Amino acid sequence: MPVVDTHMTQKDLLQVEPPFIVQGSFAMVRVLELPPGDPGIAPHRHSGPVFGYMLEGEMLFELEGQAPYPIKAGEAFWEPGGEVIHYTAANLLADRTSRFVVVMLCAPGVEMITFVDDEELAAKESARIPTQRA
């Protein structure tokens, strides 16, 4: 086989040890677009781990147990799924759409996204970590 000369480069963006992946899980790849200033979807959980890459724009990202933080174009992120609440994925830009791609590992027989009810949100409100501003 001939050697191919390439100018490909690589940059490692994220290295994590994901939680156990249930046998029979399947992967789903999705591109998401947040219109300017969009607050994102309501608090929810994912049935398995989610790995993402910000294509353009900037979003505010908040998981249970973490302070909200911005993710900018060119940065990667992940969440473990399972019982962890995903509170926020909001577009921080008022004048531009933000886009990101996610790879979600879906547990068999469980919806990929389950919304968190108001009762649980109220019960956990005091444990949320406020945004850290510079």
Side-chain angles (χ1 to χ4, degrees):
M1 180 179 267
V3 175
V4 177
D5 185 24
T6 180
H7 297 285
M8 180 176 72
T9 63
Q10 71 179 33
K11 178 181 178 183
D12 293 340
L13 298 173
L14 179 68
Q15 183 175 346
V16 297
E17 184 175 327
F20 176 76
I21 298 169
V22 178
Q23 185 171 353
S25 294
F26 64 94
M28 178 188 305
V29 180
R30 183 176 284 170
V31 174
L32 297 149
E33 293 188 1
L34 293 168
D38 193 288
I41 105 177
H44 59 278
R45 291 185 170 88
H46 293 285
S47 67
V50 177
F51 300 87
Y53 179 78
M54 203 70 194
L55 297 167
E56 60 185 271
E58 186 174 345
M59 78 170 160
L60 183 66
F61 190 78
E62 180 188 2
L63 293 178
E64 184 176 355
Q66 297 179 7
Y69 64 95
I71 299 172
K72 298 178 181 181
E75 295 178 345
F77 58 93
W78 90 289
E79 58 185 283
E83 293 302 311
V84 175
I85 297 174
H86 184 168
Y87 286 106
T88 307
N91 188 348
L92 284 171
L93 305 177
D95 60 344
R96 290 193 336 232
T97 296
S98 290
R99 291 179 354 116
F100 56 101
V101 64
V102 292
V103 176
M104 301 180 281
L105 300 177
C106 308
V110 182
E111 291 294 323
M112 184 63 233
I113 294 175
T114 303
F115 290 99
V116 179
D117 65 34
D118 291 339
E119 184 178 320
E120 183 178 1
L121 286 174
K124 291 187 172 187
E125 183 62 32
S126 65
R128 287 181 77 179
I129 300 170
T131 302
Q132 298 172 346
R133 300 201 189 269

